[in-house]
């Protein structure tokens, strides 16, 4: 029995020793795993910090690169702006010089209208050379015989449409005073049925609207001399202008007549609805654009004044009830005013 007890005790001690050794062995394994986990977390944090630092460095490099690119763009834009400004300044100066030169040339140029198609440069030179030295002569408003031919080529080669009957021209003098003298040829009959219209080519030349008449519902095939003959009864005609299409040369259905005296305008207005080449023409006064813009405001003012007068008259001539209503309103206000002074008087007493 004692031997059995000893064996059991020894076996128990061995088991306890084995258990303690197993616990001792398990402890360092867990510690190693914990240490490995701690090391892996620390390594992760370090790697993350390193990555963040690298990204920050890369962002800074990109920002520096972008700033340098922006500075280069700004510098290039400034250079281009300066170049453009200098170029625009130069072009503006050139345009101004050209404009001044064109205006000076226009003052030396004379427009000659209602010329026959058979008119040549020699005929115009012989007509205007007595007023001064001529610099150049050019024909305009030509209708070429073919669509493929330009107007300049048609003028040089005299390839004009067979239905074309008239042509315009510009005569350029070397001096401005000579161009003013050439205006005397206005209304002269250069050929049978062709009274030329001579006017300055400059835009500053103002048309006298008080001596002019507007014509409407004209025939498209009408000629200037037909209009002149129709209105010659009213008075001396200075010029006739029928507005025409540049391509076809046909009239657009309206035009203008300039008389020498203002009295002729009153007689011309009586020819309204008169028949000219099978059409009832419309004759009206030529109104200034400036006055036409201001007239609507002025036309409203007198109407408002008339309306006000009508309202005043109507209110005065209304029934007795309306007249009685106004003093009632007035009587209400003084009652309130009377109450305040009475109270003040009582306080003073």
């Amino acid at each position: 029995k004692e031997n059995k007890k000893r064996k059991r005790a020894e076996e128990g001690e061995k088991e306890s020793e084995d258990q303690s050794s197993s616990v001792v062995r398990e402890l360092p394994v867990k510690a190693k795993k914990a240490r490995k986990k701690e090391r892996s977390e620390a390594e992760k944090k370090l790697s993350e910090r390193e990555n963040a630092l690298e990204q920050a460095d890369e962002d800074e490099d990109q920002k520096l690169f972008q700033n340098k690119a922006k500075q280069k763009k700004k510098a290039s834009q400034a250079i281009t702006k300066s170049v453009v400004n200098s170029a625009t300044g130069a072009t503006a100066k050139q345009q101004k010089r050209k404009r001044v030169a064109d205006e000076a040339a226009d003052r030396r140029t004379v427009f000659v209208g209602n010329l026959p198609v058979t008119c040549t440069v020699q005929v115009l030179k012989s007509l205007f050379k007595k007023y001064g030295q001529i610099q150049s002569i050019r024909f305009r408003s030509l209708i070429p015989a073919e669509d493929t031919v330009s107007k300049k080529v048609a003028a040089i080669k005299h390839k004009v449409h067979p239905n074309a009957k008239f042509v315009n021209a510009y005569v350029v003098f070397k001096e401005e005073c000579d161009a003013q003298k050439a205006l005397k040829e206005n209304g002269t009959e250069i050929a049978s049925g062709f009274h030329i219209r001579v006017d300055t080519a400059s835009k500053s030349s103002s048309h006298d609207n008080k001596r002019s008449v507007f014509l409407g519902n004209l025939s498209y095939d009408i000629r200037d001399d037909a209009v002149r003959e129709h209105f010659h009864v009213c008075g001396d005609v200075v010029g006739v202008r029928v507005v025409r299409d540049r391509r076809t040369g046909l009239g657009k259905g309206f035009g203008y007549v300039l008389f020498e005296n203002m009295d002729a305008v009153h007689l011309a207005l009586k020819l309204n609805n008169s028949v000219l080449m099978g059409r009832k023409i419309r004759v009206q006064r030529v109104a200034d654009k400036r006055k036409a813009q201001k007239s609507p405001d002025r036309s409203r003012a007198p109407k408002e004044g008339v309306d006000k007068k009508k309202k005043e008259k109507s209110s005065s001539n209304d029934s007795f009830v309306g007249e009685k209503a106004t003093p009632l309103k007035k009587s209400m206000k003084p009652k309130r005013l009377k109450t305040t002074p009475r109270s003040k008087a009582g306080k003073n007493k």
Side-chain angles (χ1 to χ4, degrees):
K1 290 181 182 178
E2 288 177 0
N3 291 327
K4 287 181 182 178
K5 287 180 181 179
R6 287 176 185 175
K7 285 180 182 180
R8 288 176 184 175
E10 288 174 0
E11 287 176 0
E13 287 176 358
K14 284 181 182 180
E15 287 176 0
S16 64
E17 285 177 0
D18 293 333
Q19 287 176 359
S20 62
S21 63
S22 62
V23 170
V24 171
R25 287 175 185 175
E26 288 176 357
L27 284 171
V29 172
K30 289 181 180 179
K32 285 179 181 180
K33 288 181 181 180
R35 286 175 185 175
K36 284 181 181 179
K37 286 181 181 179
E38 288 176 359
R39 285 178 184 176
S40 61
E41 289 176 358
E43 287 175 357
K44 284 181 182 179
K45 288 180 181 180
L46 287 171
S47 62
E48 288 176 357
R49 287 178 183 177
E50 288 175 356
N51 292 327
L53 291 169
E54 287 177 358
Q55 286 180 358
D57 293 334
E58 288 177 359
D59 293 335
E60 287 180 358
D61 293 334
Q62 286 179 358
K63 285 180 181 179
L64 290 170
F65 181 74
Q66 288 176 359
N67 291 327
K68 286 180 181 179
K70 286 180 181 179
Q71 288 175 359
K72 286 181 181 179
K73 282 183 181 179
K74 285 180 181 179
S76 62
Q77 287 175 359
I79 292 164
T80 52
K81 281 181 181 179
S82 63
V83 171
V84 169
N85 290 328
S86 61
T88 50
T91 52
K93 287 180 181 178
Q94 290 176 359
Q95 288 176 359
K96 192 175 182 180
R97 289 175 185 173
K98 188 179 179 182
R99 197 182 300 158
V100 172
D102 291 340
E103 288 176 358
D106 289 341
R107 287 193 294 270
R108 293 185 290 105
T109 306
V110 168
F111 170 81
V112 185
N114 197 29
L115 290 168
V117 178
T118 57
C119 185
T120 59
V121 176
Q122 293 177 356
V123 173
L124 287 176
K125 277 187 178 179
S126 63
L127 182 64
F128 288 101
K129 68 181 180 180
K130 58 187 174 183
Y131 297 107
Q133 196 171 0
I134 296 170
Q135 186 176 352
S136 64
I137 294 172
R138 59 183 187 273
F139 288 96
R140 291 290 182 271
S141 303
L142 280 168
I143 304 167
E146 298 175 358
D147 295 334
T148 56
V149 180
S150 64
K151 291 183 179 180
K152 289 183 179 180
V153 175
I156 294 165
K157 294 184 178 181
H158 296 285
K159 292 183 177 180
V160 187
H161 199 274
N163 294 330
K165 298 177 182 178
F166 67 93
V167 70
N168 301 326
Y170 288 95
V171 181
V172 183
F173 290 90
K174 285 191 175 181
E175 294 182 3
E176 187 178 346
C177 59
D178 298 336
Q180 295 296 325
K181 292 176 185 177
L183 297 176
K184 294 178 183 178
E185 293 293 331
N186 185 29
T188 57
E189 190 174 3
I190 195 170
S192 61
F194 287 94
H195 291 80
I196 61 173
R197 179 166 58 91
V198 184
D199 193 6
T200 55
S202 62
K203 295 180 181 178
S204 61
S205 61
S206 60
H207 186 74
D208 192 359
N209 294 324
K210 293 180 180 179
R211 295 187 291 117
S212 302
V213 163
F214 171 80
L215 306 178
N217 198 27
L218 294 173
S219 177
Y220 298 119
D221 298 331
I222 197 165
R223 294 173 61 183
D224 294 355
D225 284 346
V227 178
R228 184 183 288 272
E229 290 176 2
H230 188 74
F231 287 93
H232 185 68
V233 183
C234 304
D236 295 333
V237 178
V238 176
V240 175
R241 183 194 169 199
V242 177
V243 181
R244 302 180 184 277
D245 190 12
R246 292 181 180 180
R247 293 182 180 179
T248 60
L250 295 172
K252 291 185 177 181
F254 63 96
Y256 301 91
V257 179
L258 177 64
F259 295 98
E260 191 172 353
N261 297 319
M262 292 174 63
D263 297 332
V265 175
H266 298 286
L267 298 172
L269 292 172
K270 293 180 181 179
L271 293 176
N272 188 25
N273 293 325
S274 61
V275 179
L276 177 61
M277 292 184 68
R279 282 176 173 251
K280 286 186 178 182
I281 61 172
R282 188 170 69 255
V283 185
Q284 296 176 350
R285 289 183 182 271
V286 180
D288 292 332
K289 291 182 180 180
R290 295 176 183 176
K291 290 182 179 180
Q293 291 175 357
K294 294 180 181 179
S295 60
D297 297 333
R298 292 180 180 176
S299 62
R300 288 176 186 175
K303 287 182 181 179
E304 290 175 0
V306 171
D307 293 333
K308 285 180 181 178
K309 288 180 182 178
K310 286 181 180 179
K311 285 179 182 178
E312 288 175 2
K313 289 179 181 179
S314 62
S315 63
S316 61
N317 295 324
D318 280 341
S319 62
F320 181 73
V321 178
E323 291 181 357
K324 190 177 180 182
T326 51
L328 285 171
K329 290 179 180 178
K330 289 181 180 178
S331 62
M332 294 296 288
K333 291 178 180 177
K335 283 180 181 179
R336 293 178 182 175
L337 292 170
K338 285 178 182 178
T339 54
T340 52
R342 283 179 184 176
S343 62
K344 287 180 180 178
K347 286 178 182 179
N348 292 324
K349 286 177 183 182

